[in-house]
Structures are given as structure tokens and as C-alpha cells.
Amino acid sequence: MTLRMELVLPKLERVVRQQRERLEELRAALGGARRALAKWAEDPSAGDAVIEGAMAGSSQPYALSFEPRLDEARPAPPPAPATVVATDGSSIVPDRFLPIPCFVVNIGRVALPYGVDGEPLLDSYPVVGPSEEAGVGHEGLGGRTIGLLRDVLELEAAAELAAARARHGPVVVLLDGTLIPWDLDSVEVEPRVREVLRERTKSALERLRSLGEHLSLGAYVSASQSSDVANSLRALGAHAGELWSDGALFAGMLAPGDRTALFRARSERTRRAEEYFPEHEVCFFYVRVDDDVARVELPRWAAAEGSLERLHAALISQAEHCGGYPRALQEAHEQAVITARERELFARILESESGQLGMRVLLAGKRRSKRRRAV
Amino acid sequence: MNEPEPLRVVAATLRHFDCSYSKYVENPVELGQVVVVREGDSVVYGVVAELESGPEDPTRPLQPIGRAEESAADVMRAHPHIRQLLRTRVRVITCGHGEDGAIRPYLPPVPPPLLARVEPASEEEVRELVAGGHFLAQLLAAPDCDDAVAGAALRRAMRAFHTAEQAHAFAVEAGKELARILRAEPARLTTILRAAT
């Protein structure tokens, strides 16, 4: 054992003690935050105007109202027949110790029919690049680029699967993470690649939108640390300085299965995203699943009452026997995950393929030493 | 009507081969049934000796979910992912192979190919394989063949004969062969004969 637990333990105890003190401060602040939320609910437009004023020049994310009664919890409706579709991805980024830059994105796909026709599907497929298939060439093959490509591939796979299943009835699409891929505006991704992936994101969202009210869509962020609502409440005068996250605010307001009202997301990032995707304004709500308060993002066009209720019901039903996390997302993850052994195997095959074509394999010292590990 | 789920060879030796369905099935091949692999250099015949169903990934055990009033079918319908994550596996003891247009109750020269399809043998093939009871030597020599497997194989073999006279004639021949093979194990002989009827 290289981590000396006897030295870690006393430090860990200190960290836990400090955290408990912060939690007590948080509880004291929550009362004020809830009062501010109730006041905002009395006149959402007036509250929104105050918040928009506070947003000017701020880089913080904020929430604006969308549904009425924004301080009330909504219980989950009973589940309705639908196919639940989910995708997730895992990737191997190019390794500088390997002879050629090469990446793999493995996309896990799940379609689970509940009370509708269609066979259950759990599978995965790899995309290897640089290649035309991946849509990413040799330019700037960093981790950010591959991460962004993975997000876009997940969205595309979900759109394709949802379109195929829509003929059997309603479809609930679940994505892991934020609705709009996080790095679409990252300067660490080559502008040309960003442009291509932005267009592909737009096409996938359009494809989903074309499925109409039969489609429900939710991008699920477990244990969200977002603070959009907390920042808005601060703008409305709540002493919310100690509010770490919206999750902490809503944890005490939501019973298991409940969701909050739907809010509109506002931030520098969503503003930039909306420049690219003006038709896909991001809304969100929080949902309590066991002890977890998850954030669920959806485009405004997917916020019709029927679609929203179907999404809420599916999330709760999915999480019921899955340790508080939607089953379809968990299985998509299981399908996508690339194990450490598979990563090592991939590296060895890449070396072997390169060697057979006469490309010299410069097995750098660090990599070689990790493989041998002799004393 | 859905196509029956294919059963495929996933591991093979000369003396036995392991097969798997791609998911959990409730109606797999049955204990003692003669199955055949028609791919590869020779057609390979065997007797089903073991069936097992469970999670594909041993690190993800199946949880006993479902309400008290729900049957297994109800639970499977309510949780459509489960069947996909389970597998039904089959062990087959090799008992013969096809050579020059005839079925011989001996080991094939090579194991059946991996991923080859495994299917129930026709009644005609079963009759030819079990004729004279000679397949029993190969079957009883397998470590996986206990008395229950041998009894089930004989019971099922008799079903392949269309008349009572034919089935009786086979039973007499197989009984004699069994007595010859197990002459030093009379207790085992008795148990298998009981299980076969």
C-alpha cells in the first residue's frame, strides 16, 4: 500500500468536521432562500426582471421562471407506455507514447420498451479516428476534442434510435450530462472541428424535435452542483451566500419522486449556445431520486405538459430498482465503458499494426516501465 | 412469430463443447437431447448434459425484484433490460460425428468451430447415432455425465423411434451395451436403467 492511511485519517477527520460546520451554516441560510423563492413565485415576471438586471456583466449562471408556482414541488405521475432510449459514451484519447495518434469512442445504446412494441436493445459500437466516419481529422486531437466528439456522437445515436422507435409509440430519450455539449465553445477545440460538431449537434437536436410531442427528452446530471436558482435567489435578496448548489436548496423541499418547477437557464455559456441553437433554448428542473437531487435539462420545445410528465414519470420509474439512477442510463454506461484491460489491449494492437507496416514503435521509457514493473 | 434464439458454440474441446444463447431463454434445448453442429470439417453430435442461466457479468448478480403477486414473466415484461443481461448456457458431451455420409458414435477429429450454430438433431439422425447403444461409451466416459444425464439421454433417444417395437428393440440393445460398460458398477447400472424408463 503506497497511500499511508495512518497519515490520511487524521486529515480526513478534520475535513469532515469542517464540512459539518458548513452544513449547519447552510441550513440557517435555506430559510431565507425559500422565502425569496416564494416571493418570486408570487410575481415571476417582476422577479425575472430583477434577476436579468443582476445578470448584466456577470459570468454566473442564473435561472428565470418558466412554469408557474415555481416554489411548489410536483409529484411524479404514474408511468405511461413508452420506449426509454439512452446513450452514453466512453473514449480512448490519443496517447503520445504510442506510434500514431489514434482515438476510439465507444457509444453504448439502450432502448427499453415499456408497454409498447419493439425488442429491447442493449449494444455498443466503436468509432475510430482520425477518420471520415468520426468526422474528426488530425487537427488538435486533444482530450477536449475527443470529449466533445463523444458528446455529439451520444446525441446523434440517441436521435437515430429515438427516430427508429417512434413508430412504436412515445419515446423518452435520456442523455448523460448537459443537453448542449459542454465544449462546443471551448477554445481548446480547433475552430473548424467545433464548427463541424456544432452543425452535427444542431442536426441531431432538429431530428429529435421533428419527432413532435411523442418525444420526451431529458439530459440528466446526477448530484448536480449547479447554482442557477441559488444565484437568482441571491439576486432577489436572499442571504444565499452559503448556498452551494441548487441541489442543497431543493433537497429539503422535494419528497422522493418530486420535481421542481421548470426554469429557463441563463448564463454566458447558454447565451453563446443560443446564438448557435436559437431554437433549442435550455430549460431545466430538479428531481429528487432517493437521496440524489438531479438536474434534468431539456429544450424548450420538449416542455409541453404531456412530454414533461412522461419524462418525469419515466425518470422515477427507471430509478426505482436501480439504486436511484435511471436504469436505461446505467445500462448505456455499462455498454459504453472501456475497461483498463481493453485500453491496454488497444494500445498493444495499435503498436502491433503500426509495427507490421514498418512504423517504428518508440516505446517511451515511462510506458515500458509501467508494463514491466520489475523490481 | 419470432425466430428461435440461436444457440452457438462458445468453447470447445474434443470431448465436450459449451454453448450459449445470446440472452436468457425459457425454452432452451433439454437435458439428454441430441444436438448437432453442422459447420466445420465434420458434423458433430452431442448430448445435452448441463443447462445454466444467470447473469452474463458475474459482478452484476441478479436481484430478486418483483412484487409478491408478479410472476417471472410479469417481472421480465416490467424490466425489459433483464433478459438481455442474462445468458442461458448449455454443456454438450460429444458422442459422435458424421463421416462419409454415416454417423459414427466416436469423437470427431477436431472440435466443432467456435460460434457455430447448435441445433436439435433430427429424429433420423438421433436413431442413427444411438443405434446399438454404442454412443453410451463416449457419454458415460465424460466427467460431466452423471446417472441423470445418461438416463435422460436414453429416455429421449427412445422417443425418436416411431413404434413401440422399435423403441423396445433399442432399449434392449442399449441395456445390453450399458450392462457391458458398467459391469463393474451394478448400482450405477440400476440407477441409470431406472432413470431411463
Side-chain angles (χ1 to χ4, degrees):
Chain A
M1 193 185 291
T2 50
L3 181 60
R4 294 177 62 186
M5 284 299 176
E6 75 278 14
L7 299 182
V8 170
L9 195 59
K11 296 175 184 178
L12 204 56
E13 283 169 358
R14 197 162 52 244
V15 170
V16 172
R17 217 171 18 251
Q18 283 170 352
Q19 187 70 1
R20 195 180 62 188
E21 286 163 12
R22 292 189 69 191
L23 272 172
E24 279 161 12
E25 287 173 27
L26 169 69
R27 277 194 203 101
L30 280 179
R34 284 181 192 144
R35 281 191 294 279
L37 185 62
K39 198 173 166 203
W40 185 13
E42 284 170 15
D43 189 350
S45 303
D48 288 351
V50 174
I51 294 161
E52 280 176 314
M55 282 165 55
S58 169
S59 60
Q60 294 294 312
Y62 288 84
L64 294 178
S65 68
F66 183 87
E67 280 185 302
R69 301 180 289 109
L70 48 87
D71 59 338
E72 289 180 22
R74 273 89 167 152
T83 303
V84 178
V85 162
T87 55
D88 197 10
S90 183
S91 53
I92 300 174
V93 298
D95 184 343
R96 66 193 168 97
F97 294 115
L98 288 175
I100 56 171
C102 182
F103 66 84
V104 177
V105 179
N106 197 37
I107 297 295
R109 304 187 303 171
V110 167
L112 300 175
Y114 297 90
V116 294
D117 286 345
E119 285 293 302
L121 170 83
L122 282 83
D123 77 356
S124 67
Y125 64 90
V127 173
V128 180
S131 66
E132 271 183 38
E133 179 204 15
V136 172
H138 285 85
E139 59 275 64
L141 280 179
R144 289 263 182 186
T145 303
I146 306 307
L148 175 57
L149 173 66
R150 187 184 63 221
D151 290 347
V152 175
L153 285 167
E154 288 173 22
L155 188 62
E156 288 177 327
E160 187 179 344
L161 200 47
R165 294 292 174 141
R167 66 194 165 96
H168 297 308
V171 176
V172 177
V173 172
L174 301 181
L175 300 166
D176 182 36
T178 57
L179 176 66
I180 306 293
W182 192 255
D183 283 323
L184 271 180
D185 56 358
S186 168
V187 292
E188 290 180 43
V189 179
E190 289 285 323
R192 196 198 66 80
V193 174
R194 257 185 289 154
E195 182 66 34
V196 168
L197 294 179
R198 216 176 273 148
E199 282 306 310
R200 286 171 57 176
T201 301
K202 195 172 178 177
S203 298
L205 287 170
E206 284 301 329
R207 191 171 188 189
L208 286 166
R209 185 163 73 153
S210 72
L211 299 178
E213 288 198 6
H214 259 25
L215 180 95
S216 300
L217 171 59
Y220 193 87
V221 185
S222 179
S224 166
Q225 294 298 301
S226 299
S227 54
D228 309 34
V229 177
N231 289 333
S232 290
L233 295 179
R234 194 180 289 118
L236 291 170
H239 173 62
E242 292 302 322
L243 274 185
W244 304 321
S245 68
D246 294 351
L249 168 66
F250 289 120
M253 293 173 60
L254 300 174
D258 287 355
R259 73 167 175 90
T260 65
L262 196 62
F263 297 90
R264 286 173 289 156
R266 280 289 179 277
S267 70
E268 189 58 24
R269 181 175 172 268
T270 50
R271 188 189 61 74
R272 282 198 301 270
E274 280 170 18
E275 282 176 12
Y276 310 133
F277 315 114
E279 314 83 0
H280 307 292
E281 182 184 3
V282 178
C283 299
F284 67 91
F285 62 84
Y286 290 92
V287 63
R288 169 108 181 257
V289 182
D290 286 352
D291 291 333
D292 187 12
V293 176
R295 176 180 168 114
V296 182
E297 294 186 354
L298 57 150
R300 187 173 184 150
W301 50 257
E305 193 181 347
S307 298
L308 198 53
E309 289 207 337
R310 195 187 304 121
L311 172 64
H312 185 190
L315 286 170
I316 299 308
S317 162
Q318 284 276 299
E320 197 177 357
H321 295 293
C322 195
Y325 189 68
R327 168 66 68 186
L329 279 175
Q330 193 212 357
E331 297 305 338
H333 166 78
E334 292 287 342
Q335 293 294 317
V337 72
I338 303 173
T339 63
R341 197 164 156 231
E342 289 164 340
R343 288 172 192 278
E344 184 59 30
L345 182 63
F346 170 77
R348 285 177 188 269
I349 291 172
L350 186 58
E351 286 170 10
S352 164
E353 288 288 314
S354 310
Q356 281 175 24
L357 293 177
M359 297 174 73
R360 193 171 159 224
V361 180
L362 293 168
L363 197 62
K366 185 174 179 181
R367 186 172 192 91
R368 193 185 302 119
S369 75
K370 276 187 177 179
R371 276 194 188 163
R372 292 202 178 140
R373 300 194 69 231
V375 178
Chain B
M1 181 104 176
N2 288 342
E3 285 284 302
E5 194 63 29
L7 177 64
R8 291 186 183 275
V9 179
V10 293
T13 70
L14 279 175
R15 287 173 174 76
H16 69 259
F17 48 99
D18 293 326
C19 323
S20 180
Y21 293 95
S22 63
K23 57 187 176 185
Y24 168 60
V25 295
E26 281 105 344
N27 52 350
V29 291
E30 296 176 2
L31 178 68
Q33 188 172 3
V34 176
V35 293
V36 57
V37 180
R38 302 187 195 283
E39 300 175 49
D41 289 341
S42 56
V43 179
V44 177
Y45 295 88
V47 168
V48 173
E50 184 61 282
L51 291 130
E52 179 196 18
S53 293
E56 183 196 15
D57 179 350
T59 65
R60 300 185 69 194
L62 181 62
Q63 302 299 311
I65 56 172
R67 292 189 297 274
E69 69 277 13
E70 285 182 315
S71 67
D74 294 335
V75 177
M76 289 281 184
R77 207 173 301 117
H79 303 276
H81 66 283
I82 291 179
R83 189 182 294 278
Q84 313 294 315
L85 298 175
L86 302 177
R87 293 289 177 275
T88 297
R89 301 180 192 88
V90 180
R91 171 154 285 196
V92 177
I93 298 171
T94 307
C95 289
H97 70 284
E99 190 179 277
D100 302 329
I103 300 176
R104 305 193 184 280
Y106 314 119
L107 291 183
V110 291
L114 296 180
L115 295 180
R117 282 162 302 180
V118 182
E119 56 191 67
S122 69
E123 285 187 344
E124 192 183 345
E125 287 174 306
V126 174
R127 285 196 297 272
E128 192 176 344
L129 175 71
V130 304
H134 304 306
F135 79 107
L136 288 166
Q138 207 55 254
L139 183 65
L140 291 169
D144 292 312
C145 179
D146 59 17
D147 301 350
V149 174
L154 286 167
R155 259 196 330 272
R156 289 201 63 107
M158 277 191 274
R159 282 194 221 160
F161 294 92
H162 289 159
T163 65
E165 289 77 20
Q166 288 172 335
H168 179 73
F170 163 71
V172 170
E173 283 182 330
K176 285 180 184 170
E177 183 67 10
L178 204 55
R180 188 187 67 76
I181 298 166
L182 298 177
R183 61 183 175 277
E185 298 177 79
R188 192 176 180 203
L189 173 64
T190 308
T191 311
I192 293 173
L193 287 174
R194 276 188 193 140
T197 51

